[in-house]
Amino acid sequence: MDQLAPKPFPAYTGDEPYVFVCYAHDDETAAYPELAAVHGQGINLWYDEGISPGHRWSEDVADALRGSQVVLFLATRASVASNHCHDEINFALDHAVPVLTVYLEDKELTPSLRLRLSSHQGVIGTGLDATERAARVSGPLSRLLDGGTATRSGRHQNRTLAGCAGRS
């Protein structure tokens, strides 16, 4: 059995606004430094560490998505190919939760992800380290978190971000 990477911090469970993190398990050794860097910027993050033992994981994930103010999608070859990541993004967008995509690798989105994310801006993070990427995403995430109610109204495009999720 593969050794799991240690979780960088507990998933957020309070009543303040938080970000749901969508990533592929195959990427956890790359994803955890990203999470730690963003968390270090003072942003509350929920990720799969927050799934309660003995609970139906899909219910915990759906509850966390519904309660989040924004989804941070860490786009890699594995996450773009992951059915779970597709499901999480679709669920979020169906519930008017904005998605901020951070490209950790130079990988084209699948047609279905391009369709869903084409009107959302993203951050091109290739060539940057986790600290530099965190600096680029913490401002937009904070604005989306602070915008809470207005963000959920369906007007959730943030044109101040670098890059474009709908790139080909």
Side-chain angles (χ1 to χ4, degrees):
M1 180 176 218
D2 292 334
Q3 176 119 14
L4 299 176
K7 307 285 187 187
F9 55 86
Y12 183 74
T13 59
D15 293 329
E16 295 177 11
Y18 65 90
V19 174
F20 179 101
V21 182
C22 177
Y23 70 98
H25 279 258
D26 290 347
D27 293 331
E28 66 184 15
T29 56
Y32 288 171
E34 302 294 328
L35 274 63
V38 173
H39 186 256
Q41 298 284 325
I43 294 175
N44 297 324
L45 299 177
W46 190 97
Y47 64 111
D48 57 358
E49 188 278 337
I51 296 173
S52 302
H55 284 182
R56 176 173 272 160
W57 68 266
S58 57
E59 290 297 323
D60 283 352
V61 169
D63 288 345
L65 278 164
R66 275 194 303 262
S68 69
Q69 295 300 112
V70 61
V71 171
L72 178 62
F73 174 44
L74 302 180
T76 63
R77 287 170 185 81
S79 66
V80 166
S82 167
N83 288 332
H84 293 298
C85 289
H86 282 243
D87 291 346
E88 291 167 2
I89 289 167
N90 287 328
F91 187 90
L93 293 173
D94 288 348
H95 289 85
V97 179
V99 176
L100 172 60
T101 302
V102 178
Y103 294 90
L104 300 183
E105 298 173 353
D106 190 20
K107 171 65 179 152
E108 185 174 324
L109 296 177
T110 62
S112 63
L113 283 175
R114 265 198 330 264
L115 175 67
R116 292 305 309 258
L117 296 173
S118 65
S119 65
H120 299 260
Q121 296 296 314
V123 174
I124 307 301
T126 55
L128 304 174
D129 67 25
T131 303
E132 293 169 317
R133 279 189 292 270
R136 285 202 182 173
V137 302
S138 63
L141 286 176
S142 293
R143 283 190 295 279
L144 288 166
L145 289 170
D146 291 342
T149 310
T151 302
R152 290 295 192 86
S153 70
R155 294 167 299 179
H156 51 265
Q157 292 183 18
N158 187 335
R159 299 282 177 200
T160 65
L161 303 177
C164 177
R167 67 188 183 154
S168 47

Short mmCIF file of all heavy atoms in Angstrom, two decimals, residues 49-93:
data_model
loop_
_atom_site.label_atom_id
_atom_site.label_comp_id
_atom_site.label_asym_id
_atom_site.label_seq_id
_atom_site.Cartn_x
_atom_site.Cartn_y
_atom_site.Cartn_z
N GLU A 49 -9.45 16.15 4.25
CA GLU A 49 -9.09 15.81 5.62
C GLU A 49 -10.31 15.99 6.53
O GLU A 49 -10.41 15.36 7.58
CB GLU A 49 -7.92 16.70 6.09
CG GLU A 49 -7.32 16.33 7.43
CD GLU A 49 -8.09 16.87 8.64
OE1 GLU A 49 -8.83 17.86 8.49
OE2 GLU A 49 -7.95 16.27 9.72
N GLY A 50 -11.26 16.81 6.08
CA GLY A 50 -12.45 17.09 6.87
C GLY A 50 -13.54 16.03 6.77
O GLY A 50 -14.59 16.16 7.40
N ILE A 51 -13.32 14.98 6.00
CA ILE A 51 -14.32 13.91 5.91
C ILE A 51 -14.29 13.11 7.21
O ILE A 51 -13.24 12.66 7.66
CB ILE A 51 -14.04 12.99 4.70
CG1 ILE A 51 -14.20 13.80 3.40
CG2 ILE A 51 -14.96 11.78 4.72
CD1 ILE A 51 -13.78 13.04 2.15
N SER A 52 -15.44 12.98 7.82
CA SER A 52 -15.54 12.30 9.11
C SER A 52 -15.48 10.79 8.93
O SER A 52 -16.21 10.23 8.10
CB SER A 52 -16.86 12.66 9.79
OG SER A 52 -16.95 14.05 9.97
N PRO A 53 -14.66 10.11 9.72
CA PRO A 53 -14.61 8.64 9.65
C PRO A 53 -16.00 8.06 9.94
O PRO A 53 -16.71 8.51 10.83
CB PRO A 53 -13.62 8.26 10.75
CG PRO A 53 -12.80 9.48 10.97
CD PRO A 53 -13.71 10.64 10.69
N GLY A 54 -16.37 7.09 9.17
CA GLY A 54 -17.66 6.44 9.36
C GLY A 54 -18.81 7.11 8.66
O GLY A 54 -19.90 6.56 8.59
N HIS A 55 -18.62 8.32 8.13
CA HIS A 55 -19.67 9.02 7.39
C HIS A 55 -19.59 8.66 5.92
O HIS A 55 -18.55 8.24 5.43
CB HIS A 55 -19.52 10.54 7.50
CG HIS A 55 -19.95 11.08 8.82
ND1 HIS A 55 -19.92 12.42 9.09
CD2 HIS A 55 -20.42 10.50 9.94
CE1 HIS A 55 -20.34 12.64 10.32
NE2 HIS A 55 -20.64 11.49 10.85
N ARG A 56 -20.68 8.85 5.23
CA ARG A 56 -20.67 8.70 3.78
C ARG A 56 -19.89 9.89 3.23
O ARG A 56 -20.29 11.04 3.37
CB ARG A 56 -22.08 8.68 3.24
CG ARG A 56 -22.13 8.63 1.72
CD ARG A 56 -23.52 8.44 1.22
NE ARG A 56 -23.73 7.01 1.16
CZ ARG A 56 -24.91 6.44 1.13
NH1 ARG A 56 -25.99 7.16 1.18
NH2 ARG A 56 -25.03 5.13 1.06
N TRP A 57 -18.73 9.62 2.60
CA TRP A 57 -17.84 10.69 2.17
C TRP A 57 -18.51 11.65 1.20
O TRP A 57 -18.27 12.85 1.24
CB TRP A 57 -16.54 10.13 1.57
CG TRP A 57 -16.69 9.41 0.27
CD1 TRP A 57 -16.86 8.07 0.11
CD2 TRP A 57 -16.72 9.98 -1.02
NE1 TRP A 57 -16.99 7.78 -1.23
CE2 TRP A 57 -16.90 8.94 -1.94
CE3 TRP A 57 -16.60 11.28 -1.51
CZ2 TRP A 57 -16.98 9.15 -3.31
CZ3 TRP A 57 -16.67 11.49 -2.87
CH2 TRP A 57 -16.86 10.43 -3.76
N SER A 58 -19.39 11.14 0.33
CA SER A 58 -20.03 12.02 -0.65
C SER A 58 -20.94 13.04 0.03
O SER A 58 -21.06 14.18 -0.46
CB SER A 58 -20.80 11.20 -1.69
OG SER A 58 -21.77 10.38 -1.06
N GLU A 59 -21.56 12.68 1.15
CA GLU A 59 -22.39 13.64 1.89
C GLU A 59 -21.52 14.73 2.53
O GLU A 59 -21.87 15.91 2.50
CB GLU A 59 -23.22 12.94 2.96
CG GLU A 59 -24.33 12.08 2.40
CD GLU A 59 -25.37 12.87 1.62
OE1 GLU A 59 -25.70 14.01 2.03
OE2 GLU A 59 -25.85 12.35 0.61
N ASP A 60 -20.39 14.32 3.11
CA ASP A 60 -19.48 15.31 3.71
C ASP A 60 -18.96 16.27 2.65
O ASP A 60 -18.88 17.48 2.88
CB ASP A 60 -18.30 14.62 4.40
CG ASP A 60 -18.67 14.02 5.75
OD1 ASP A 60 -19.80 14.24 6.23
OD2 ASP A 60 -17.82 13.31 6.33
N VAL A 61 -18.59 15.75 1.49
CA VAL A 61 -18.09 16.59 0.41
C VAL A 61 -19.18 17.54 -0.08
O VAL A 61 -18.94 18.75 -0.24
CB VAL A 61 -17.52 15.74 -0.74
CG1 VAL A 61 -17.24 16.59 -1.98
CG2 VAL A 61 -16.25 15.03 -0.29
N ALA A 62 -20.38 17.03 -0.29
CA ALA A 62 -21.49 17.88 -0.75
C ALA A 62 -21.81 18.97 0.28
O ALA A 62 -22.03 20.14 -0.09
CB ALA A 62 -22.73 17.03 -1.04
N ASP A 63 -21.83 18.60 1.55
CA ASP A 63 -22.09 19.60 2.60
C ASP A 63 -21.01 20.68 2.62
O ASP A 63 -21.30 21.87 2.75
CB ASP A 63 -22.17 18.94 3.98
CG ASP A 63 -23.43 18.11 4.17
OD1 ASP A 63 -24.38 18.25 3.37
OD2 ASP A 63 -23.44 17.29 5.12
N ALA A 64 -19.75 20.25 2.47
CA ALA A 64 -18.65 21.22 2.47
C ALA A 64 -18.71 22.12 1.25
O ALA A 64 -18.45 23.33 1.34
CB ALA A 64 -17.31 20.48 2.53
N LEU A 65 -19.06 21.57 0.11
CA LEU A 65 -19.20 22.39 -1.10
C LEU A 65 -20.32 23.41 -0.95
O LEU A 65 -20.16 24.58 -1.28
CB LEU A 65 -19.47 21.50 -2.32
CG LEU A 65 -18.25 20.88 -2.96
CD1 LEU A 65 -18.64 19.73 -3.88
CD2 LEU A 65 -17.45 21.93 -3.72
N ARG A 66 -21.48 22.97 -0.45
CA ARG A 66 -22.62 23.87 -0.27
C ARG A 66 -22.30 24.99 0.71
O ARG A 66 -22.78 26.11 0.57
CB ARG A 66 -23.85 23.10 0.22
CG ARG A 66 -24.65 22.49 -0.89
CD ARG A 66 -26.02 22.03 -0.38
NE ARG A 66 -25.92 21.10 0.73
CZ ARG A 66 -26.00 19.79 0.63
NH1 ARG A 66 -26.17 19.22 -0.53
NH2 ARG A 66 -25.90 19.02 1.69
N GLY A 67 -21.48 24.71 1.71
CA GLY A 67 -21.16 25.71 2.72
C GLY A 67 -20.01 26.63 2.35
O GLY A 67 -19.79 27.64 3.01
N SER A 68 -19.29 26.29 1.28
CA SER A 68 -18.11 27.09 0.92
C SER A 68 -18.50 28.35 0.15
O SER A 68 -19.57 28.42 -0.45
CB SER A 68 -17.14 26.25 0.09
OG SER A 68 -17.68 25.96 -1.18
N GLN A 69 -17.60 29.33 0.18
CA GLN A 69 -17.80 30.56 -0.57
C GLN A 69 -17.16 30.48 -1.95
O GLN A 69 -17.54 31.22 -2.85
CB GLN A 69 -17.21 31.75 0.19
CG GLN A 69 -17.88 32.05 1.50
CD GLN A 69 -19.34 32.39 1.32
OE1 GLN A 69 -20.21 31.62 1.73
NE2 GLN A 69 -19.63 33.49 0.69
N VAL A 70 -16.17 29.63 -2.09
CA VAL A 70 -15.44 29.50 -3.35
C VAL A 70 -14.74 28.14 -3.36
O VAL A 70 -14.41 27.60 -2.31
CB VAL A 70 -14.44 30.67 -3.55
CG1 VAL A 70 -13.40 30.69 -2.46
CG2 VAL A 70 -13.78 30.64 -4.92
N VAL A 71 -14.54 27.60 -4.57
CA VAL A 71 -13.77 26.37 -4.75
C VAL A 71 -12.44 26.74 -5.38
O VAL A 71 -12.39 27.49 -6.36
CB VAL A 71 -14.52 25.36 -5.66
CG1 VAL A 71 -13.63 24.18 -6.03
CG2 VAL A 71 -15.79 24.88 -4.97
N LEU A 72 -11.36 26.21 -4.82
CA LEU A 72 -10.03 26.35 -5.37
C LEU A 72 -9.70 25.03 -6.06
O LEU A 72 -9.54 24.01 -5.40
CB LEU A 72 -9.01 26.66 -4.27
CG LEU A 72 -7.56 26.78 -4.70
CD1 LEU A 72 -7.37 27.94 -5.68
CD2 LEU A 72 -6.66 26.97 -3.48
N PHE A 73 -9.66 25.04 -7.40
CA PHE A 73 -9.38 23.84 -8.18
C PHE A 73 -7.91 23.83 -8.58
O PHE A 73 -7.46 24.72 -9.30
CB PHE A 73 -10.28 23.79 -9.41
CG PHE A 73 -10.00 22.66 -10.36
CD1 PHE A 73 -9.77 21.37 -9.90
CD2 PHE A 73 -9.99 22.88 -11.73
CE1 PHE A 73 -9.52 20.32 -10.79
CE2 PHE A 73 -9.74 21.85 -12.61
CZ PHE A 73 -9.50 20.57 -12.15
N LEU A 74 -7.16 22.85 -8.08
CA LEU A 74 -5.75 22.70 -8.42
C LEU A 74 -5.68 21.82 -9.67
O LEU A 74 -5.82 20.61 -9.59
CB LEU A 74 -4.98 22.08 -7.26
CG LEU A 74 -5.04 22.87 -5.94
CD1 LEU A 74 -4.23 22.15 -4.86
CD2 LEU A 74 -4.55 24.30 -6.12
N ALA A 75 -5.48 22.46 -10.82
CA ALA A 75 -5.53 21.76 -12.10
C ALA A 75 -4.19 21.13 -12.44
O ALA A 75 -3.17 21.81 -12.57
CB ALA A 75 -5.95 22.72 -13.21
N THR A 76 -4.22 19.81 -12.56
CA THR A 76 -3.07 19.00 -12.94
C THR A 76 -3.57 17.93 -13.91
O THR A 76 -4.79 17.79 -14.11
CB THR A 76 -2.44 18.31 -11.73
OG1 THR A 76 -3.41 17.41 -11.17
CG2 THR A 76 -1.98 19.30 -10.67
N ARG A 77 -2.67 17.14 -14.45
CA ARG A 77 -3.09 16.04 -15.31
C ARG A 77 -4.05 15.11 -14.57
O ARG A 77 -5.06 14.69 -15.11
CB ARG A 77 -1.87 15.26 -15.80
CG ARG A 77 -1.07 16.00 -16.85
CD ARG A 77 0.27 15.31 -17.14
NE ARG A 77 1.06 16.09 -18.06
CZ ARG A 77 1.81 17.14 -17.72
NH1 ARG A 77 1.88 17.54 -16.47
NH2 ARG A 77 2.49 17.80 -18.64
N ALA A 78 -3.72 14.80 -13.32
CA ALA A 78 -4.55 13.87 -12.54
C ALA A 78 -5.90 14.47 -12.19
O ALA A 78 -6.93 13.79 -12.28
CB ALA A 78 -3.81 13.45 -11.27
N SER A 79 -5.95 15.75 -11.77
CA SER A 79 -7.23 16.34 -11.37
C SER A 79 -8.14 16.57 -12.56
O SER A 79 -9.36 16.43 -12.46
CB SER A 79 -7.02 17.63 -10.58
OG SER A 79 -6.44 18.64 -11.38
N VAL A 80 -7.56 16.92 -13.71
CA VAL A 80 -8.35 17.11 -14.92
C VAL A 80 -8.97 15.79 -15.37
O VAL A 80 -10.07 15.77 -15.92
CB VAL A 80 -7.48 17.75 -16.03
CG1 VAL A 80 -8.14 17.67 -17.40
CG2 VAL A 80 -7.18 19.21 -15.67
N ALA A 81 -8.30 14.68 -15.10
CA ALA A 81 -8.81 13.36 -15.46
C ALA A 81 -9.72 12.74 -14.39
O ALA A 81 -10.37 11.73 -14.64
CB ALA A 81 -7.64 12.41 -15.73
N SER A 82 -9.79 13.36 -13.21
CA SER A 82 -10.52 12.78 -12.08
C SER A 82 -12.02 13.01 -12.18
O SER A 82 -12.49 14.15 -12.24
CB SER A 82 -10.00 13.41 -10.79
OG SER A 82 -10.87 13.12 -9.71
N ASN A 83 -12.79 11.92 -12.15
CA ASN A 83 -14.24 12.04 -12.13
C ASN A 83 -14.72 12.74 -10.86
O ASN A 83 -15.70 13.50 -10.90
CB ASN A 83 -14.90 10.66 -12.24
CG ASN A 83 -14.76 10.08 -13.62
OD1 ASN A 83 -14.66 10.79 -14.62
ND2 ASN A 83 -14.73 8.76 -13.70
N HIS A 84 -14.04 12.50 -9.74
CA HIS A 84 -14.44 13.17 -8.49
C HIS A 84 -14.27 14.68 -8.62
O HIS A 84 -15.14 15.44 -8.17
CB HIS A 84 -13.63 12.64 -7.31
CG HIS A 84 -13.91 11.21 -6.97
ND1 HIS A 84 -15.14 10.77 -6.57
CD2 HIS A 84 -13.10 10.13 -7.00
CE1 HIS A 84 -15.10 9.47 -6.36
NE2 HIS A 84 -13.87 9.05 -6.61
N CYS A 85 -13.16 15.12 -9.20
CA CYS A 85 -12.95 16.57 -9.37
C CYS A 85 -14.02 17.16 -10.30
O CYS A 85 -14.56 18.23 -10.01
CB CYS A 85 -11.55 16.85 -9.91
SG CYS A 85 -10.24 16.55 -8.69
N HIS A 86 -14.33 16.46 -11.38
CA HIS A 86 -15.40 16.93 -12.29
C HIS A 86 -16.71 17.06 -11.52
O HIS A 86 -17.42 18.07 -11.66
CB HIS A 86 -15.58 15.95 -13.45
CG HIS A 86 -14.55 16.07 -14.52
ND1 HIS A 86 -14.84 16.43 -15.80
CD2 HIS A 86 -13.21 15.85 -14.49
CE1 HIS A 86 -13.74 16.44 -16.53
NE2 HIS A 86 -12.73 16.08 -15.75
N ASP A 87 -17.04 16.04 -10.73
CA ASP A 87 -18.29 16.07 -9.95
C ASP A 87 -18.32 17.25 -8.99
O ASP A 87 -19.34 17.93 -8.85
CB ASP A 87 -18.47 14.76 -9.17
CG ASP A 87 -18.76 13.56 -10.06
OD1 ASP A 87 -19.08 13.74 -11.26
OD2 ASP A 87 -18.63 12.43 -9.54
N GLU A 88 -17.20 17.49 -8.30
CA GLU A 88 -17.14 18.59 -7.34
C GLU A 88 -17.30 19.94 -8.03
O GLU A 88 -18.04 20.82 -7.55
CB GLU A 88 -15.83 18.53 -6.55
CG GLU A 88 -15.76 17.34 -5.62
CD GLU A 88 -14.38 17.07 -5.05
OE1 GLU A 88 -13.43 17.84 -5.34
OE2 GLU A 88 -14.24 16.08 -4.31
N ILE A 89 -16.65 20.13 -9.15
CA ILE A 89 -16.77 21.40 -9.88
C ILE A 89 -18.19 21.59 -10.39
O ILE A 89 -18.77 22.67 -10.25
CB ILE A 89 -15.73 21.47 -11.02
CG1 ILE A 89 -14.34 21.63 -10.41
CG2 ILE A 89 -16.04 22.60 -11.99
CD1 ILE A 89 -13.20 21.42 -11.37
N ASN A 90 -18.76 20.55 -10.98
CA ASN A 90 -20.14 20.65 -11.47
C ASN A 90 -21.11 20.96 -10.34
O ASN A 90 -22.00 21.80 -10.48
CB ASN A 90 -20.54 19.37 -12.20
CG ASN A 90 -19.88 19.27 -13.56
OD1 ASN A 90 -19.63 20.27 -14.22
ND2 ASN A 90 -19.59 18.05 -13.97
N PHE A 91 -20.96 20.28 -9.21
CA PHE A 91 -21.83 20.51 -8.06
C PHE A 91 -21.70 21.96 -7.59
O PHE A 91 -22.70 22.64 -7.33
CB PHE A 91 -21.48 19.54 -6.93
CG PHE A 91 -22.43 19.58 -5.77
CD1 PHE A 91 -23.54 18.76 -5.75
CD2 PHE A 91 -22.20 20.43 -4.69
CE1 PHE A 91 -24.43 18.80 -4.67
CE2 PHE A 91 -23.07 20.46 -3.62
CZ PHE A 91 -24.20 19.65 -3.60
N ALA A 92 -20.47 22.44 -7.47
CA ALA A 92 -20.24 23.82 -7.02
C ALA A 92 -20.91 24.81 -7.96
O ALA A 92 -21.66 25.70 -7.52
CB ALA A 92 -18.74 24.10 -6.92
N LEU A 93 -20.67 24.68 -9.24
CA LEU A 93 -21.24 25.63 -10.20
C LEU A 93 -22.76 25.53 -10.25
O LEU A 93 -23.44 26.55 -10.40
CB LEU A 93 -20.61 25.43 -11.58
CG LEU A 93 -19.13 25.78 -11.66
CD1 LEU A 93 -18.56 25.38 -13.01
CD2 LEU A 93 -18.88 27.25 -11.37
#
